[in-house]
Amino acid sequence: MRKLLLMSAAAIALAACSPKTDTETAPPTAQTQEAEKNINARLDAWFEADFQESVRDYPMSMAFLGIPERMDEWNDPSRAFALEQLEKTRQKLAELKANFNPDDLDDSRRLSYRLYVKQAEDRLADDKWHAHSYPFNQMFGAQSGIPTFMLNQHPVKTEEDARNYIARLNGVKDYLGGTVENARRSAEAGILPPLYVYDHVLRDVNNILTGLPFDDSENLNLLMKDFKTKVEKLELGEDKEAELYEAATTALITSVGPAYRDLKSFLEAQQVNATTDDGVWKLPDGEAFYAHRLSRMTTTDMSADEIHDLGLSEVARIHGEMRSIMKDVGFDGTLQEFFTHLKTDPKFTYEDSDEGRQAYLDEATRIIEVMKGRLDDVFLKKPKADLEVRRVEAFREKSAGKAFYNRPAQDGSRPGYYYANLYKITDM
């Protein structure tokens, strides 16, 4: 590589010193530059139009972006809708290729063109494996995605927003039911989550079915509590609030409750036949699916063995660096003992209490504020949206990941969220 770079540098230097010949390309004329500007502007407009058209097919994506449209709807989980979207992808890909030549674009647009083509082709190729997924899982399953979406993505700034909230509660039965149908088809093809997943998912379901109006406890169900908290801020008056609460209660009883109880029955029936096998090798055409995912996730042609060997070499390198750290801090013991020391010594963790958890959230916020103050040192463009630290909600903290991020609304009405899972504080 070094030799090639030196040769390239030498070639560039020779070209720069060579006398100009009659065959050299003339500098671009004003007319040529204007044509290039127009084609780049047309591509920008095409991308924007395509984005706006495609995002409006997904009400939940619109909510994530802060677009206040179709706020009474969920995404369509059906296979028929997925096939319609694939056909749109084929048509849009053909349209792009028919109307734009990448050679006519500047470097930035040429890259955007290539990325669009790659993503569209990947989307079409991935459909072969559309059933090779688990719609209900402990990390980001639909069972926890519904309340998480309502709590964090559905704003209630007006009475209409509140009625849209109720409409979405009424739509849970169809949305969750359609997702169950997808899971059923996967199961019929021999694609089921491993056994350990079911307890986590069922715990989420039971948590969502807890509280008024689902039981006689004094606490409100998490969705009802969220709805009341948001509506109270509108100050609509007692009569209007009572009307909205009654409508939301009815939606919970007639739509949300039955949908989650049906899901619970479905999962419990599946759990009986689940196995402890947890690799994709257990799935139909598992080896081919694994190779496909390797290629997609690594964007390389490396084999599984090559990736594994790379991982082993990286672990060895990192362990070497850690042994150096052990010497620097004067730790007397093995590397494994050092790991145990880092995990168990109280000075490395926050106190297992409400105060300790709040201290974690405060420190994470402080670090983000420090980071914001240094953005000018390393970036030309900075994010306009704010970043807020949030604790993972109690109903899903036992099954959710340790930390993750939700991006902000496109219009700046909602910040980005860094979620910290503080259920087991010693893991943080």
Side-chain angles (χ1 to χ4, degrees):
M1 179 61 75
R2 178 180 171 83
K3 184 175 181 181
L4 288 172
L5 289 172
L6 290 172
M7 291 174 64
S8 299
I12 292 170
L14 285 172
C17 296
S18 298
K20 187 174 181 178
T21 66
D22 293 338
T23 59
E24 287 187 13
T25 304
T29 63
Q31 186 177 8
T32 302
Q33 290 176 331
E34 186 62 28
E36 291 175 351
K37 181 179 178 181
N38 288 340
I39 191 68
N40 290 319
R42 282 204 302 114
L43 182 64
D44 289 344
W46 189 91
F47 280 146
E48 179 64 20
D50 176 69
F51 171 77
Q52 294 296 340
E53 179 184 341
S54 61
V55 78
R56 277 168 171 72
D57 288 335
Y58 298 90
M60 295 172 71
S61 296
M62 294 173 72
F64 274 103
L65 293 169
I67 301 174
E69 300 175 26
R70 300 186 68 183
M71 289 180 62
D72 57 343
E73 301 177 56
W74 297 94
N75 289 352
D76 185 343
S78 69
R79 178 63 180 155
F81 175 78
L83 291 174
E84 290 175 5
Q85 293 303 303
L86 284 174
E87 183 56 34
K88 283 188 177 181
T89 298
R90 290 189 188 93
Q91 293 174 2
K92 286 295 183 179
L93 182 59
E95 182 181 319
L96 176 69
K97 291 181 175 180
N99 288 280
F100 298 95
N101 183 343
D103 292 337
D104 296 335
L105 305 170
D106 65 19
D107 290 344
S108 176
R109 271 69 171 204
R110 191 176 303 119
L111 176 60
S112 296
Y113 180 101
R114 289 172 53 203
L115 287 171
Y116 186 99
V117 170
K118 179 72 167 65
Q119 290 174 351
E121 291 176 344
D122 286 351
R123 198 175 302 126
L124 295 172
D126 289 348
D127 186 63
K128 176 181 178 181
W129 309 102
H130 72 273
H132 281 60
S133 63
Y134 305 141
F136 302 103
N137 61 79
Q138 78 281 16
M139 297 293 287
F140 44 82
Q143 80 287 343
S144 60
I146 289 172
T148 301
F149 174 85
M150 296 304 293
L151 268 62
N152 297 310
Q153 307 301 332
H154 188 107
V156 177
K157 300 178 180 178
T158 65
E159 182 182 338
E160 183 182 3
D161 292 343
R163 296 192 182 281
N164 285 333
Y165 193 114
I166 295 168
R168 274 190 165 138
L169 293 180
N170 281 315
V172 166
K173 192 169 184 179
D174 288 339
Y175 175 63
L176 192 58
T179 309
V180 168
E181 284 304 309
N182 293 337
R184 181 175 283 113
R185 281 195 296 272
S186 292
E188 290 171 353
I191 301 167
L192 286 83
L195 181 61
Y196 72 85
V197 168
Y198 288 87
D199 285 341
H200 292 298
V201 176
L202 284 166
R203 183 176 56 244
D204 288 348
V205 171
N206 288 330
N207 287 340
I208 293 162
L209 290 173
T210 298
L212 290 171
F214 297 132
D215 57 37
D216 296 328
S217 68
E218 296 181 358
N219 297 320
L220 290 174
N221 168 265
L222 62 94
L223 285 166
M224 192 64 197
K225 181 179 179 181
D226 177 62
F227 182 72
K228 290 194 71 172
T229 300
K230 290 174 177 176
V231 169
E232 285 173 358
K233 295 178 181 178
L234 300 180
E235 299 181 351
L236 298 173
E238 290 185 7
D239 292 344
K240 184 67 68 176
E241 288 181 0
E243 176 197 341
L244 292 171
Y245 297 157
E246 183 179 357
T249 299
T250 299
L252 287 167
I253 293 173
T254 61
S255 174
V256 178
Y260 273 91
R261 283 190 285 273
D262 288 347
L263 172 59
K264 183 176 181 179
S265 297
F266 170 75
L267 293 170
E268 288 174 340
Q270 266 198 354
Q271 189 177 23
V272 175
N273 299 314
T275 70
T276 56
D277 295 339
D278 55 9
V280 295
W281 45 264
K282 73 168 185 171
L283 304 179
D285 298 319
E287 186 174 346
F289 176 61
Y290 188 67
H292 170 79
R293 294 305 297 165
L294 276 184
S295 174
R296 183 70 73 249
M297 299 303 290
T298 67
T299 67
T300 72
D301 295 324
M302 296 174 69
S303 68
D305 286 339
E306 289 172 332
I307 293 172
H308 183 66
D309 289 342
L310 175 61
L312 292 176
S313 67
E314 284 297 289
V315 168
R317 179 184 62 79
I318 294 169
H319 281 185
E321 294 181 1
M322 297 184 76
R323 289 188 177 92
S324 297
I325 293 173
M326 287 169 56
K327 292 180 180 179
D328 292 341
V329 300
F331 183 82
D332 186 17
T334 66
L335 185 59
Q336 292 303 318
E337 289 171 340
F338 189 51
F339 291 158
T340 301
H341 168 66
L342 293 173
K343 286 183 178 181
T344 59
D345 192 313
K347 71 181 179 183
F348 296 123
T349 60
Y350 289 86
E351 183 182 282
D352 189 3
S353 64
D354 290 342
E355 292 75 14
R357 287 171 172 79
Q358 187 58 51
Y360 179 95
L361 297 173
D362 292 342
E363 178 64 5
T365 300
R366 186 194 68 78
I367 291 171
I368 289 172
E369 291 304 314
V370 172
M371 174 269 295
K372 290 178 184 176
R374 298 188 59 191
L375 289 177
D376 286 330
D377 296 341
V378 289
F379 292 107
L380 295 176
K381 291 184 178 181
K382 297 185 296 184
K384 296 179 181 179
D386 201 2
L387 178 60
E388 181 179 309
V389 179
R390 287 197 169 189
R391 181 178 175 178
V392 173
E393 300 88 356
F395 80 89
R396 59 172 176 154
E397 65 180 359
K398 290 184 180 179
S399 56
K402 295 310 299 179
F404 46 93
Y405 169 75
N406 281 0
R407 64 186 178 183
Q410 188 179 30
D411 64 355
S413 59
R414 185 186 64 254
Y417 297 139
Y418 160 63
Y419 273 103
N421 192 334
L422 305 182
Y423 168 67
K424 192 175 181 182
I425 191 68
T426 51
D427 285 350
M428 302 294 281

